[in-house]
Amino acid sequence: MIEQQLLKQLRAQIEQFAPLAEAAWNDFVCLFQLRTLNKGSHIVLPGDPTSGLYFVCAGLLRYYYIADDGKEWNKAFITENTLTASFSEDFSGSPSPYGIQTLENTILLSARYTDFEALYEPHISVERLERRFVEQVLAGKLSRERSFLQYNAKSRYQDFLRQHPSLPERIPQYHLASYLGVSEVTLSRLRNQPLDP
């Protein structure tokens, strides 16, 4: 059974997207299982055949791609009190190319995405929740794409610091460098520069 405090954390996050009526909330929380994962555990490996919905109660995740040469590239970091998802296929039907791994010991609520989708018809508010969740994911992707197209490495690093001031202390430098699209040497240099006003 999931502790009431964790369910309160989840509900507070859900309310930011779309309020759920009590009946919808009760059906929604029944989808989740509690998982406790050690640092370095994989929640999803690239190409995994199942899609999931996750709520990070405590801990830190990274989403990453593996290039053809085996090099890993971080695409996102997910902190506590965040709802996130994985999809077994992209929109073209190809297997999902990314994995999800814990960077810290993590407490997670986990549900199958197909079970979540099954609540759309009986609960219109759950479908609204999904739509707003996907809109937020898309907005994040567009912001990250814009960052790489319009800003240099220093601006990307300083923007990351402004948005996530405590994260650089929690993320190994090589993971942060990968996320920013720079070498560790470049990141070290950026860290020693004063922040722009």
Side-chain angles (χ1 to χ4, degrees):
M1 185 160 182
I2 300 171
E3 296 174 24
Q4 285 302 312
Q5 179 55 41
L6 301 182
L7 293 178
K8 284 181 184 175
Q9 284 178 246
L10 174 61
R11 191 155 199 177
Q13 174 68 16
I14 295 305
E15 295 290 321
Q16 293 180 23
F17 292 109
L20 296 181
E22 208 58 33
W25 168 253
N26 290 336
D27 287 349
F28 178 71
V29 295
C30 286
L31 303 179
F32 288 91
Q33 295 181 340
L34 180 64
R35 296 174 66 185
T36 302
L37 301 160
N38 292 326
K39 177 181 178 179
S41 298
H42 279 88
I43 297 163
V44 174
L45 290 168
D48 272 359
T50 57
S51 300
L53 185 67
Y54 312 102
F55 178 71
V56 182
C57 304
L60 178 63
L61 311 178
R62 75 176 179 117
Y63 278 64
Y64 68 95
Y65 291 105
I66 299 179
D68 290 340
D69 63 3
K71 183 170 178 151
E72 293 181 2
W73 294 97
N74 292 305
K75 78 180 206 93
F77 300 108
I78 308 297
T79 59
E80 51 276 318
N81 296 312
T82 304
L83 189 67
T84 189
S86 69
F87 298 96
S88 59
E89 295 180 346
D90 64 20
F91 292 108
S92 68
S94 300
S96 175
Y98 61 81
I100 307 173
Q101 183 183 35
T102 60
L103 292 179
E104 298 174 348
N105 293 338
T106 298
I107 299 171
L108 192 72
L109 299 180
S110 172
R112 291 188 308 184
Y113 209 89
T114 52
D115 293 342
F116 175 53
E117 292 174 315
L119 295 180
Y120 295 174
E121 192 169 325
H123 303 293
I124 190 88
S125 59
V126 174
E127 186 174 13
R128 187 178 309 117
L129 165 66
E130 194 267 350
R131 187 183 76 242
R132 291 191 176 154
F133 170 69
V134 170
E135 287 169 356
Q136 180 177 325
V137 170
L138 179 59
K141 287 180 173 294
L142 292 173
S143 175
R144 181 150 164 76
E145 180 181 280
R146 179 178 178 226
S147 174
F148 270 93
L149 293 173
Q150 293 187 324
Y151 303 130
N152 61 25
K154 180 180 180 182
S155 295
R156 288 197 305 273
Y157 174 65
Q158 293 190 355
D159 188 49
F160 182 83
L161 290 180
R162 281 189 278 277
Q163 291 181 31
H164 313 284
S166 65
L167 267 188
E169 304 306 317
R170 298 171 64 184
I171 299 171
Q173 186 163 317
Y174 65 95
H175 279 317
L176 183 53
S178 165
Y179 175 80
L180 295 170
V182 300
S183 69
E184 288 184 66
V185 172
T186 299
L187 178 58
S188 291
R189 192 177 72 249
L190 293 173
R191 291 173 73 145
N192 291 325
Q193 294 178 11
L195 286 175
D196 291 341

